[in-house]
Amino acid sequence: MTSNDTSKPTVHPYTREMAMIHQVFRRESRLLAELVEEVRPGDTGRARVLSEHWRLYSIGLHAHHTGEDEMLWPVLLPHLDLDAEQVLAMEAQHRALDDGIREVRRLMDRWQARALAEDRDELTDALRRHHRQLCAHLDEEEREVMPLVALHVNEKQWHAVGERGLAETPRNRLMIALGAILEDSSPEERQEFMARLPVPARVLWRFLGQ
């Protein structure tokens, strides 16, 4: 059977989670470029703050893509025929994004040291390139690959990917990560997402996290 046989499609209840997580990376990559551009020359304190935010953002994005490469695509590929090319394209795009992330990290380190205007401007350009490249990748993944995930990945396999991401998130950043996911979500998405969390996590979010 190829993925083109949709006579009995399975509407996977968790694929919308991917779009919610992607929205975090779309938003934060856009904001990083905007916030760096606004930093006054010589303001090394502000540069350090944004450099740390970039570090956490890039770690999260790398963990997200590694989780897909190591745990989601291997589950999906055996079910595919011609559509396997779409998944292989995702892996190639992840590698290309890693190159851009390394470039930004290099420029971020240079800018952080003295917060020179010329370094800031070069960094801003690199951040905008990263944002455009990332958004194109995420758009394609949601359009071309997530329908295949909905057809072929079961609930247990999907949860394993989420557990991998949870394990790689520092404990003191869990509530921040949850808030980032919920920030731009609709009331329906928020309700659905929170309903799938363990009860202790929902209680912690209600009384402390938010």
Side-chain angles (χ1 to χ4, degrees):
M1 178 184 295
T2 71
S3 61
N4 291 323
D5 182 358
T6 59
S7 57
K8 294 183 180 180
T10 301
V11 179
H12 201 292
Y14 297 101
T15 54
R16 187 157 69 166
E17 287 184 9
M18 188 67 83
M20 295 173 69
I21 293 169
H22 284 176
Q23 184 58 29
V24 175
F25 296 120
R26 287 186 178 98
R27 181 186 66 237
E28 297 305 314
S29 60
R30 173 181 57 82
L31 287 174
L32 272 161
E34 294 174 359
L35 293 172
V36 166
E37 186 177 38
E38 294 173 355
V39 176
R40 296 186 303 274
D43 191 347
T44 56
R46 181 62 171 163
R48 282 194 299 271
V49 169
L50 293 177
S51 295
E52 175 64 11
H53 187 55
W54 164 260
R55 186 183 71 84
L56 294 171
Y57 160 86
S58 61
I59 289 173
L61 181 59
H62 179 74
H64 175 70
H65 285 164
T66 301
E68 291 178 337
D69 290 341
E70 296 181 358
M71 300 193 67
L72 186 56
W73 308 150
V75 168
L76 185 57
L77 279 169
H79 297 280
L80 305 181
D81 187 1
L82 297 178
D83 288 322
E85 294 182 3
Q86 297 290 347
V87 175
L88 297 176
M90 296 298 101
E91 294 179 330
Q93 289 174 20
H94 287 175
R95 291 192 294 271
L97 282 161
D98 284 343
D99 292 340
I101 287 171
R102 283 190 288 270
E103 179 191 12
V104 171
R105 183 180 299 121
R106 177 182 64 81
L107 296 173
M108 187 74 74
D109 290 343
R110 188 177 72 185
W111 173 65
Q112 180 183 350
R114 292 188 292 169
L116 298 178
E118 55 268 32
D119 294 340
R120 176 202 61 201
D121 294 344
E122 188 175 357
L123 173 60
T124 299
D125 289 342
L127 285 166
R128 290 206 168 107
R129 286 195 299 273
H130 166 72
H131 174 70
R132 290 193 298 269
Q133 184 182 24
L134 176 67
C135 288
H137 163 69
L138 299 180
D139 289 348
E140 183 176 343
E141 182 178 307
E142 292 172 9
R143 183 179 64 252
E144 304 292 344
V145 178
M146 290 313 297
L148 304 176
V149 171
L151 283 171
H152 300 297
V153 176
N154 64 39
E155 180 177 337
K156 181 179 180 180
Q157 292 163 337
W158 181 260
H159 274 300
V161 178
E163 289 296 324
R164 159 72 177 268
L166 187 63
E168 294 194 5
T169 304
R171 302 290 292 180
N172 65 347
R173 305 290 300 182
L174 286 173
M175 290 295 103
I176 293 174
L178 177 56
I181 293 170
L182 298 178
E183 183 172 335
D184 291 328
S185 62
S186 69
E188 294 79 11
E189 289 171 334
R190 180 183 292 255
Q191 182 178 6
E192 179 182 329
F193 192 91
M194 294 298 295
R196 290 197 292 271
L197 293 179
V199 172
R202 296 203 298 267
V203 172
L204 185 62
W205 171 255
R206 179 178 179 184
F207 291 103
L208 178 63
Q210 59 185 336

